[in-house]
Amino acid sequence: MAHFIILLGPPGAGKGTQAERIIKKLGIVHISSGNLFRENLEKETDLGRLAKSYMDKGELVPDNVTIAMVRERLTKLDCQTGALLDGFPRTPAQAKALDKILAEKNESILCVPYIKVPEDLSVERLSGRWTCREAGHVYHEKYNPPKEKGICDIDGSPLYQRDDDKRRTVEQRIKVYSQQTAPLIDYYDKNGLLRTIDGTKEIDEITESILKEIT
Ligand code: ADP
Ligand code: ADP
């Protein structure tokens, strides 16, 4: 049976950071909807242009395009053994669509680690986040700095600060999270899949806690 796992949590909780570590242990792919949108943006596709108008404002990209994009990604062969979803689903409609996509594959969600952090920590983490151009690897100038300033440890590509990590957009993203994504905590709690993880801890400790819930 394949392992489909969803990492839930507010912007800046550490989903991307944890995803990179967990996929190495489990041997499954990391699917980040934010990274998929940013790849489209780099390639200047129609989807990228459409997504940018929402991302710049800290709003969610409409469900129909987001669901179609993730659905297509999940049909790829590398998802046969499962996937770690990060940043998707973000609305109840996306969560229902995902249940349906997986049911069509005769699969289901294994569990939903929810990385819980207070709002002030989200803001602090996002304001010090540096992201790699090549593959979206993330660093923090204070908490998780790269070996060489401005350069990704993994692929040597330059690091940049995302436009939407600026203070005003961050505040909007957190608001959107509370309104549209936080209801998923209850959704996955009700069906017994939610595993709450203390996201205020050190990166390694959080990885351990998540792995304990999964394996
Ligand atoms: P998300 O994908 O949930 O938005 P990221 O994984 O990109 O979050 O992490 C946001 C920022 O916080 C990054 O700069 C990352 O290096 C940093 N970070 C992640 N986890 C921790 C942690 N446990 N303690 C301190 N900083 C962290
Ligand atoms: P973070 O790392 O802070 O959680 P992401 O990289 O996941 O942020 O997302 C960045 C932006 O991409 C979001 O603010 C939103 O505009 C868009 N986005 C990403 N995933 C989704 C989704 N599942 N539904 C709608 N919009 C999304």
Side-chain angles (χ1 to χ4, degrees):
M1 172 129 156
H3 284 53
F4 288 92
I5 298 160
I6 298 168
L7 280 186
L8 194 62
K15 301 182 295 298
T17 302
Q18 295 301 331
E20 285 301 324
R21 293 159 165 251
I22 290 160
I23 56 162
K24 280 195 204 132
K25 293 269 182 193
L26 300 185
I28 53 176
V29 289
H30 173 198
I31 301 181
S32 153
S33 43
N35 285 354
L36 290 175
F37 284 131
R38 281 183 290 277
E39 278 164 34
N40 274 279
L41 235 139
E42 290 265 319
K43 290 189 202 140
E44 298 182 3
T45 66
D46 288 343
L47 175 62
R49 266 186 289 273
L50 174 90
K52 185 173 163 44
S53 60
Y54 294 93
M55 293 167 88
D56 283 349
K57 286 185 285 189
E59 301 286 344
L60 294 185
V61 180
D63 280 337
N64 58 345
V65 277
T66 305
I67 291 165
M69 176 181 76
V70 175
R71 175 190 281 278
E72 207 219 299
R73 179 65 189 85
L74 284 169
T75 61
K76 301 253 161 76
L77 263 177
D78 60 1
C79 296
Q80 268 179 356
T81 51
L84 184 61
L85 292 161
D86 152 21
F88 182 94
R90 250 178 162 97
T91 64
Q94 291 179 16
K96 289 194 186 97
L98 178 64
D99 288 343
K100 204 165 145 241
I101 293 168
L102 293 180
E104 282 163 11
K105 291 155 82 73
N106 264 328
E107 297 289 355
S108 56
I109 298 161
L110 182 69
C111 66
V112 182
Y114 159 47
I115 308 178
K116 190 174 176 185
V117 294
E119 197 174 310
D120 56 343
L121 208 59
S122 275
V123 174
E124 198 199 355
R125 287 188 182 171
L126 292 179
S127 59
R129 172 160 73 180
W130 288 79
T131 304
C132 108
R133 276 269 173 233
E134 183 66 30
H137 300 118
V138 291
Y139 299 85
H140 191 280
E141 54 194 28
K142 200 157 118 200
Y143 303 122
N144 182 29
K147 291 197 184 86
E148 196 181 333
K149 197 170 180 244
I151 306 285
C152 178
D153 291 350
I154 299 162
D155 45 36
S157 85
L159 303 179
Y160 75 106
Q161 280 193 301
R162 277 169 45 179
D163 273 349
D164 61 345
D165 281 347
K166 305 231 164 79
R167 171 66 75 143
R168 260 194 47 211
T169 319
V170 163
E171 280 165 8
Q172 177 61 16
R173 282 161 61 202
I174 291 172
K175 205 165 115 198
V176 166
Y177 169 82
S178 321
Q179 289 168 349
Q180 303 192 51
T181 309
L184 297 186
I185 299 167
D186 204 35
Y187 181 81
Y188 291 118
D189 193 23
K190 283 205 172 109
N191 60 20
L193 294 173
L194 196 81
R195 308 282 184 270
T196 303
I197 307 285
D198 181 354
T200 65
K201 299 278 195 323
E202 300 260 318
I203 294 175
D204 285 342
E205 215 177 323
I206 297 171
T207 311
E208 287 304 312
S209 312
I210 296 175
L211 286 171
K212 236 185 255 163
E213 294 293 350
I214 294 172
T215 47

